[in-house]
Amino acid sequence: QSVLTQPPSVSGAPGQRVTISCTGSGSNIGAGYDVNWYQLLPGTAPKLLIYQENNRPSGVPDRFSGSKSGTSASLAITGLEAEDEADYYCQSYDNNLSRSVFGGGTKLTVL
Amino acid sequence: EVQLVESGGGLVQPGGSLRLSCAASGFTFDNYAMTWVRLAPGKGLEWVSVISVTGESTYYADSVKGRFTISRDNSKNTLYVQMNSLRVEDTAVYYCAKSVSTWYWDYFDYWGQGTLVTVSS
């Protein structure tokens, strides 16, 4: 069981908006540690999507955005495109475990 | 261009050993902490181990502590993980990931494509 909880799957039609939640606790997200998001496409290297809650690396479309509140964070994707179909993971640091932690991952299906 | 290329994966019997390598290029390797992360079939990403820029400090997930050893050769721009006493549950794609800084727990700005380790009799 992952320290950070994500929904196993979300879906949306092209052009729609979806959000993926990442729920932690007071020893990770709630303690103020950064939340980062990664995109995994089959057969490719994982890609940094969002860092430090709401920052996008160069090359990541502004359709992707992140937010954080309390012990949770969210990734929002607007204007869904077929190429967005992938697995998404949140990541933070946990001071009880003294290590990086990941969410269980969310599979996004574009209908 | 930053590149991380893992190698060394394969099929090994339970109790066996493997050494994975991650060849880095396109950045100053000894300026960044490096991490191994794995993705087991049907499961999520799991942080495995991290090493400091000098190699003097290392940390491990409880699931691999005492069995895996992370190391780096800054003269060869290469990261390693020696995996001993392998278990079926170690079956996964193993990724090396570059930290964005010297801090062990920072986010990862580049990842390799991974190498598959299969532990089976």
Side-chain angles (χ1 to χ4, degrees), chain A residues 36 38 40 43-46 48 51-52 89 91 93 98-100 102-104, chain B residues 37 39 43-47 61 95 103-109 111-113:
Chain A
N36 312 294
Y38 302 91
L40 269 71
T44 66
L48 175 64
Y51 65 95
Q52 295 171 346
Y89 289 86
Q91 177 251 328
Y93 173 76
S98 299
R99 62 170 174 86
S100 287
F102 286 95
Chain B
V37 177
L39 181 64
K43 298 196 173 182
L45 290 174
E46 180 186 13
W47 177 87
Y95 299 99
W103 190 50
Y104 312 126
W105 315 117
D106 220 328
Y107 61 93
F108 313 116
D109 55 352
W111 299 60
Q113 292 207 321

Side-chain angles (χ1 to χ4, degrees), chain A residues 2-109:
Chain A
S2 301
V3 174
L4 305 178
T5 301
Q6 298 179 233
S9 63
V10 297
S11 62
Q16 285 190 332
R17 178 182 187 270
V18 297
T19 61
I20 298 173
S21 61
C22 174
T23 303
S25 67
S27 60
N28 42 69
I29 298 175
Y33 294 107
D34 291 338
V35 178
N36 312 294
W37 292 88
Y38 302 91
Q39 179 190 58
L40 269 71
L41 290 162
T44 66
K47 175 184 175 182
L48 175 64
L49 209 58
I50 297 287
Y51 65 95
Q52 295 171 346
E53 281 79 55
N54 58 9
N55 296 285
R56 287 184 310 277
S58 60
V60 173
D62 59 6
R63 301 186 297 103
F64 295 88
S65 63
S67 63
K68 184 175 89 169
S69 178
T71 58
S72 295
S74 290
L75 173 70
I77 310 172
T78 58
L80 267 181
E81 298 180 2
E83 66 186 33
D84 298 333
E85 191 160 284
D87 293 329
Y88 294 85
Y89 289 86
C90 59
Q91 177 251 328
S92 186
Y93 173 76
D94 189 286
N95 61 24
N96 278 348
L97 299 173
S98 299
R99 62 170 174 86
S100 287
V101 290
F102 286 95
T106 298
K107 181 175 183 58
L108 168 62
T109 301

Side-chain angles (χ1 to χ4, degrees), chain B residues 25-100:
Chain B
S25 61
F27 65 101
T28 305
F29 184 67
D30 56 5
N31 278 1
Y32 301 94
M34 295 294 294
T35 295
W36 287 100
V37 177
R38 67 185 181 184
L39 181 64
K43 298 196 173 182
L45 290 174
E46 180 186 13
W47 177 87
V48 174
S49 181
V50 65
I51 188 167
S52 64
V53 296
T54 62
E56 290 181 353
S57 296
T58 58
Y59 298 89
Y60 298 91
D62 288 344
S63 58
V64 307
K65 198 174 295 182
R67 302 187 298 121
F68 288 15
T69 303
I70 191 172
S71 62
R72 64 192 295 164
D73 186 336
N74 289 340
S75 69
K76 295 182 178 179
N77 291 345
T78 303
L79 174 72
Y80 304 98
V81 62
Q82 176 67 42
M83 306 186 296
N84 298 330
S85 304
L86 282 162
R87 305 167 180 168
V88 171
E89 54 265 35
D90 294 320
T91 295
V93 175
Y94 285 74
Y95 299 99
C96 66
K98 170 188 170 293
S99 175
V100 75

